[in-house]
Amino acid sequence: MAETYDVIIIGAGIMGCSTAFQLAQRGMRVAVLEKDIIGAGSTGESSAIIRQHYSNELTARMALYSLRVFQNFREQVGGASGFTRTGFLALTDADDREGLEANVALQRRVGIQTEILSPEALKELMPGLDTAGLVAAAYEPESGYADPNLTVNSYARAARDLGVDIYTDTPVTGVRFQGERVVGVDSSKGAFDAPRVLNSAGPWGAQVAKMAGVEVPINACRVQVGFFRRPVTEPEEHPVVADFINATYFRSETGNLTLVGLIDPGEAESIVDPDRYKKGVDDEFIMDAGSRLVERYPSLEQSQVTGGYASLYAITPDWHPIVDELIPGSGFYICAGFSGHGFKLGPAVGVMAAEMLLGVQDYQFDPQLFRLGRYEEGKPVQGLYEYSIVG
Ligand SMILES: Cc1cc2nc3c(=O)[nH]c(=O)nc-3n(C[C@H](O)[C@H](O)[C@H](O)COP(=O)(O)OP(=O)(O)OC[C@H]3O[C@@H](n4cnc5c(N)ncnc54)[C@H](O)[C@@H]3O)c2cc1C
């Protein structure tokens, strides 16, 4: 006899675990099936930057809601998230000044604590930075970064405490339908039954959708991060920086390290097989990221390379997720394609996906913006002003 649940969730990343937690809080009997271990996908390898600098109202509201959860994680979820408040800076040049101001105004309207800093004020905040070429910066004093493995495991533990069954090492191999309705999934551990199934398989989202015969535009794309050990003369921590001029982001990491990645729409072209790609970092990436870092932050010139790795973004055509019932009326849903900026939204996405699965009328975060049909309709998600892939 197959185990029977109200909802089966495929994938134990931040989205799957946060959704399971929210559903269990609303009294649902939930199973999460994960092919590997908790956080094995993008989540466990996320840079986990928590910023609220978004260019549309919904994502800005979701980022703010989620920040409040990270700030009060023990009370609201339980366990640790490793949230570290360092502040966040978005740096732009003259061309993007107006856009930066418009975005900051939007963010302030939804209650985000953020302000525009002049290059002089920026220099005072982060003396090691080179402010040449900068016209303005947005500053969020409340932002920072978290520990993605701690966070996802805390969500998983909290969900389990509420009765959720999490099966690791359990790949889903098929989605079963009776007529138009989903009735469960097949897995390496046999069949599981449920009238609702959520595909939160991140970079594997398209693969899992295909099990139900649906094509979704989500590509698994290889992205890299590098680590540099800061000279001991530098402070133990520095703000998170999104440098839209040099197309890099960087944040401090324990052990006097600075983690660097790219903010580069070109990353959408490095499509790979999510089960077979080079996990090691490329020497060229380290050279390139290192020189962009030092250009912006010259006092790191004497830092040492300590390595890096490659992981996966689940990228959609507009760099926004697909959160929808994949086949209308079927009970087969998706919440995937977070395109390199989903971790920080995880707490709010859990609420959004849980409400979608429960069919509530009055959404806290309406998933309509993220419907699959927007691509065919020619209405991709567009921010107020997107200097790059700000989301
Ligand atoms: C290098 C890097 C840096 C990033 N930096 C940031 C950042 O600074 N801030 C931010 O907000 N976001 C960041 N992101 C993005 C963020 O990490 C992701 O958007 C988020 O983690 C996606 O979570 P998910 O749950 O959708 O997917 P995942 O974490 O990938 O989870 C999907 C899970 O599904 C499982 N799965 C797949 N197929 C099956 C199957 N058939 N059966 C069962 N299980 C299956 C996988 O094993 C996996 O565990 C970064 C991502 C990367 C890779």
Side-chain angles (χ1 to χ4, degrees), residues 171-334:
V172 168
T173 52
V175 180
R176 279 181 295 112
F177 286 82
Q178 243 169 36
E180 308 283 290
R181 291 288 313 178
V182 76
V183 290
V185 301
D186 293 321
S187 80
S188 63
K189 293 193 180 141
F192 292 80
D193 289 346
R196 275 159 285 191
V197 173
L198 177 69
N199 167 4
S200 58
W204 294 264
Q207 251 179 40
V208 171
K210 233 181 230 160
M211 292 176 190
V214 186
E215 298 280 338
V216 293
I218 297 177
N219 286 320
C221 300
R222 180 174 178 265
V223 295
Q224 304 179 73
V225 296
F227 294 94
F228 297 83
R229 191 179 307 286
R230 293 192 296 281
V232 286
T233 47
E234 283 302 298
E236 257 175 49
E237 259 172 14
H238 58 72
V240 175
V241 177
D243 178 355
F244 290 105
I245 303 158
N246 287 332
T248 48
Y249 70 82
F250 50 94
R251 70 155 171 90
S252 47
E253 172 61 88
T254 43
N256 242 28
L257 301 180
T258 289
L259 175 162
V260 189
L262 300 186
I263 317 172
D264 177 4
E267 286 180 319
E269 278 147 41
S270 53
I271 300 169
V272 293
D273 175 343
D275 295 307
R276 240 165 274 115
Y277 67 97
K278 182 184 166 201
K279 298 274 294 179
V281 70
D282 303 341
D283 291 346
E284 307 81 65
F285 172 85
I286 291 291
M287 296 293 291
D288 179 35
S291 62
R292 294 190 207 203
L293 172 68
V294 170
E295 199 176 315
R296 177 60 61 214
Y297 198 176
S299 44
L300 294 200
E301 181 131 39
Q302 298 306 319
S303 53
Q304 281 176 318
V305 176
T306 63
Y309 58 82
S311 184
L312 299 169
Y313 282 175
I315 299 185
T316 65
D318 57 5
W319 288 71
H320 283 279
I322 302 170
V323 186
D324 202 351
E325 189 172 20
L326 265 186
I327 308 168
S330 68
F332 183 53
Y333 296 83
I334 188 166

